[in-house]
Structures are given as structure tokens and as C-alpha cells.
Amino acid sequence: MTTIDSATKSTATPNVATVSINLGRAEKLQILFAYPNSATVQEDLQTTILHWLGDTIERDGLNRDSATINVVNGEYILNLNGLSTDQAQAYDQRIRAILEIGLAACVGPIQQIQKRSVWCTDGKIRTLWDPNETGKWRFFLTLGVGYVNHRSLQFFHYPPIRLLDPLRDSMQDPVTYRCRDLLIANGVGSDETKFYETRINSTPIAAPDDQGTNNSPAADPVVGGLIPIGYFKQFEIDMIGTLLKPHATPGYTIPMTAYGSEPRQQLGGMFLGPDKAMIIEVIPGLKTPVLGSNHPYRFYATAQGGSTVGSGQMLPGQAIRDMCVQLQQDDLAVVRWQVEMAKDPSQDPWKVIRDSQAIWKSRDKQDLVTALVNRHASLKYDDPDGYHFRFLLGLDGKPVPPTTTTSPDTTR
């Protein structure tokens, strides 16, 4: 049951609403919020739910303390206070929808994958769930990202397990930090980058970083790789339909970017290559501009080597540097497209990406491109698992003091 009460304090004050959302009972919420998130964190289910929903509220630019939870007759009730009526209604609809979509994924494709065994490339039979037996695969929904005030939508493959355990933060990742730099380079204020970071993972499985591209010894019979993306088409459609939202421009939604080959193929088949645009219709009657992109992590793998990301230095050779410059220009153009289409999605998306590419290849932008290449190529992991990371260089080319770190998230 959901209730929304609103009152107008004065003719000069907008409606302020309180919404109460019945999230359900503990046995369901333990699954949906991956409780307990980590063996290193001792807290009750109520606190875990507030942790993730507080992140969502804060990344929507609102006060995370507006959320409280009561447990009434075994039902967990989320109370949101001090929001506008529109915000309250949006949270009510989207939080309930995301939990329902997540539960459907759990009782459907997740259980199918966990029960299914397949012949693998080494001739052995393994379960389709965690075929490399890492012990680190876990169900993980899109949690802790903005649900209401976002201006664009990002579509990725699957979340790294470290974001759930032990970091418990969907944004605490070198990919996110690199994208923030690119947003700022394209004119977005540092206090507004969060509005462009709402993301959906096409597969709600948290797993080690290499599971999406690792084809040996076991392989997903649907599309290859170990993360079984092919089982989650309905999940993707439902999640996209929930977090896409109408734009102020009539007939359009906010724009969307698909990062990496698997998400691009899920949306557009073989036709949606890197830097290629298309228009889809997820919400009936509304057009959604979509752009394909390289995965932002590809820059790190190119600059430092796929097995040595986090080394803090670029591989030697002019060829590596040239490839990094090309990737940086391409990724800057993608982010510019995202920002420009968020302003007016009725623009020609093909022209916007062409114009963005031309801008970031122009001579007057190359000093900034070079500075960004040097900064991002200095990514350093301070521990073997990459839980703590930083960039050794600033945009001015000078070393960043070791006390300045990008972990934990200092943007909040």
C-alpha cells in the first residue's frame, strides 16, 4: 500500500509531499538488497535498505535523511519526507517497479541459470552459474543510482562484485571517475555530474571483472563469455522502461548510451557499433535517442595492459599513446553527445555525434585531450583488488599528493 500526502504551505512554496511505500517482507528484501552485502559489515536489513536508497536520493540531488523505514507487522515501510509531489510520485512508482522487476529476475532467469549445466569448451560439464567456480557471483540489482532527477541513462553489461562486496557503492569505480572527468571536460559542473550517471546493468549479476569477456574454460551458449546476458531480455526492457522518463521536449525521452559490445548488441544488434546512433521506442509514443560506445574501461586496458590495469603508468611506445589519444577523443565525443542530447533529444543524433567528434579532434582541444590521457593513464590501485584507487597525475600534469585519493567517494 502506498500513500502520498501533500500540503501547500503558502502560495510561494511548492507542494511538499510525504510518501509511504510498502517494500514488502524481510525474506523478499534480503534477496533484492543482497543482504548481507558483505561479511565485513554488521548491520540489520533496515540499515542496508536505507544505505542504498539513501545513495539514490543523494544522487538525485536531494537530502538522504529524508528517508526513514518503519517495520509494521513484518512489512518494511519506506517513508520519504520533504519532496515535491512529483518527486514523491516518481519514487513511489520507480522503487516499487524496480523491486518487482528484480524479484521476477530472481524467480525466473536467475533460478534457470543456477539450475542449468552445460558442456564447456574443455569438455567438462559445469553449472552455468559461476562456471569458473570463483565463489563470487551474486544477484545484484541497480541500486544506489539516481531514479528521479537523472538527465540521461547509461546501459552497461554487469556490475563488478567489488561494488557490492566490500565497497557497497555502485559509483565507486574507475569507470565512473573517468566518465566524470569527461563530463566536466564537456561543460558539466562537478556538482551536476551525478545527474548523468544513472545506469542500468543488462545482467543483474555481480561478478569478478573478467567474467564478461572470459571464454575459457566455460562459455555461455547464448552469446559467449561467462555472464549469461541472453537470459535477461525482459529484465532489460522492464528496467529501461522504468528508468527512462519523458523529456520536456514533447515526443521524446531522455537519451541513452550503451557501453560495450554486449549492451550494444542487446539494444541494436550488429548495427549499433561504437559511436553509432539509433532511435528506439521503449515507452509507447516516445522516441529514445541511443548511442553506442566503447566501454570506458577499454582506455585503461589499452593504456596499461589488460592484466596490469592499476599499475599507475602507461605502457611504452608511441603506438600505445596514439591509440589512447584516439580512444580519449572518441569517448569525449560520446559524452558530449550525451550532454547535448540531454538538452534537446529531438536533435538529429547522427549529426550531434559527428559534430562532437569533429570538436574533440580539433586542434584547439588537443592540449586537454593530452592532459586527460596522461591523467587517466596514471590510474593506480593501492591494493591488489582495486578497492582503493587514484590518479597519480592531475590535469596540470603534476603529481597528485598521495593523501588525495578517489576512494572512498569524495563527491558525495
Side-chain angles (χ1 to χ4, degrees):
M1 180 178 180
T2 300
T3 59
I4 299 178
D5 298 317
S6 62
T8 304
K9 294 182 178 180
S10 71
T11 56
T13 303
N15 284 348
V16 177
T18 297
V19 58
S20 296
I21 307 170
N22 189 332
L23 302 177
R25 304 185 74 83
E27 52 268 28
K28 178 183 80 171
L29 296 174
Q30 287 173 354
I31 297 171
L32 295 174
F33 287 89
Y35 179 82
N37 296 161
S38 173
T40 63
V41 177
Q42 302 298 318
E43 65 184 18
D44 58 20
L45 175 60
Q46 189 171 340
T47 304
T48 294
I49 296 171
L50 278 176
H51 167 80
W52 291 106
L53 293 180
D55 278 1
T56 287
I57 291 166
E58 195 167 86
R59 283 166 178 153
D60 275 324
L62 305 171
N63 183 1
R64 70 186 294 127
D65 293 334
S66 64
T68 59
I69 289 180
N70 297 329
V71 183
V72 181
N73 297 324
E75 304 280 344
Y76 285 67
I77 310 298
L78 171 67
N79 304 298
L80 300 175
N81 302 291
L83 308 179
S84 71
T85 302
D86 288 345
Q87 290 167 346
Q89 291 175 339
Y91 275 126
D92 173 41
Q93 186 269 324
R94 290 174 189 151
I95 290 173
R96 287 189 297 107
I98 288 169
L99 296 184
E100 291 170 4
I101 294 164
L103 193 61
C106 277
V107 301
I110 293 289
Q111 289 190 5
Q112 294 172 23
I113 294 164
Q114 290 174 336
K115 293 176 181 178
R116 184 173 181 184
S117 295
V118 293
W119 286 100
C120 298
T121 54
D122 59 358
K124 297 181 180 180
I125 298 177
R126 289 187 174 86
T127 175
L128 194 57
W129 181 269
D130 193 12
N132 279 354
E133 299 178 348
T134 66
K136 296 182 178 180
W137 280 39
R138 295 182 64 183
F139 173 76
F140 186 40
L141 261 178
T142 298
L143 300 175
V145 301
Y147 289 167
V148 169
N149 289 330
H150 52 298
R151 300 170 187 171
S152 62
L153 191 60
Q154 299 176 333
F155 187 54
F156 284 89
H157 188 179
Y158 71 101
I161 183 63
R162 65 179 180 274
L163 302 185
L164 170 61
D165 183 7
L167 298 178
R168 304 203 315 145
D169 188 341
S170 292
M171 298 288 103
Q172 188 57 29
D173 189 86
V175 164
T176 303
Y177 280 77
R178 179 165 177 258
C179 288
R180 285 176 186 162
D181 281 349
L182 303 186
L183 283 163
I184 292 169
N186 277 289
V188 177
S190 59
D191 60 339
E192 295 198 334
T193 56
K194 57 182 173 286
F195 299 125
Y196 298 87
E197 293 177 344
T198 292
R199 64 183 52 175
I200 292 171
N201 291 297
S202 65
T203 308
I205 298 173
D209 285 21
D210 67 344
Q211 300 292 278
T213 55
N214 190 344
N215 285 299
S216 178
D220 171 19
V222 180
V223 294
L226 299 185
I227 299 295
I229 190 172
Y231 285 77
F232 292 95
K233 192 65 177 178
Q234 190 60 52
F235 171 84
E236 296 161 6
I237 293 171
D238 292 342
M239 285 294 291
I240 291 171
T242 298
L243 285 177
L244 276 182
K245 61 181 186 179
H247 193 273
T249 302
Y252 288 86
T253 73
I254 59 174
M256 183 173 170
T257 308
Y259 290 101
S261 59
E262 292 85 0
R264 293 198 309 267
Q265 289 187 22
Q266 289 294 99
L267 285 179
M270 300 301 293
F271 299 101
L272 190 61
D275 307 326
K276 303 298 182 184
M278 65 186 301
I279 293 177
I280 63 176
E281 184 174 313
V282 177
I283 300 176
L286 298 179
K287 298 176 181 178
T288 299
V290 177
L291 184 71
S293 173
N294 293 313
H295 196 289
Y297 189 85
R298 183 179 174 184
F299 176 92
Y300 295 130
T302 301
Q304 298 184 343
S307 62
T308 53
V309 170
S311 67
Q313 57 186 356
M314 184 185 291
L315 295 172
Q318 188 61 43
I320 295 294
R321 174 165 287 277
D322 289 345
M323 285 190 288
C324 288
V325 169
Q326 178 68 54
L327 281 172
Q328 198 73 284
Q329 291 170 335
D330 290 344
D331 292 350
L332 280 160
V334 166
V335 172
R336 182 180 176 84
W337 182 94
Q338 182 184 3
V339 173
E340 292 303 310
M341 294 301 292
K343 297 174 184 175
D344 180 5
S346 68
Q347 299 177 84
D348 181 340
W350 297 274
K351 183 178 186 303
V352 173
I353 187 58
R354 288 195 303 270
D355 291 347
S356 298
Q357 290 169 335
I359 287 170
W360 281 109
K361 290 181 184 296
S362 64
R363 181 174 298 180
D364 63 335
K365 292 290 188 181
Q366 296 320 295
D367 286 347
L368 180 52
V369 170
T370 298
L372 285 163
V373 166
N374 292 337
R375 172 172 165 79
H376 295 156
S378 73
L379 174 69
K380 176 67 175 176
Y381 289 168
D382 289 329
D383 56 79
D385 295 310
Y387 299 152
H388 297 82
F389 61 88
R390 56 197 169 101
F391 298 113
L392 300 182
L393 297 178
L395 284 177
D396 58 4
K398 297 180 180 179
V400 176
T403 54
T404 302
T405 178
T406 55
S407 183
D409 190 343
T410 58
T411 65
R412 291 203 240 169

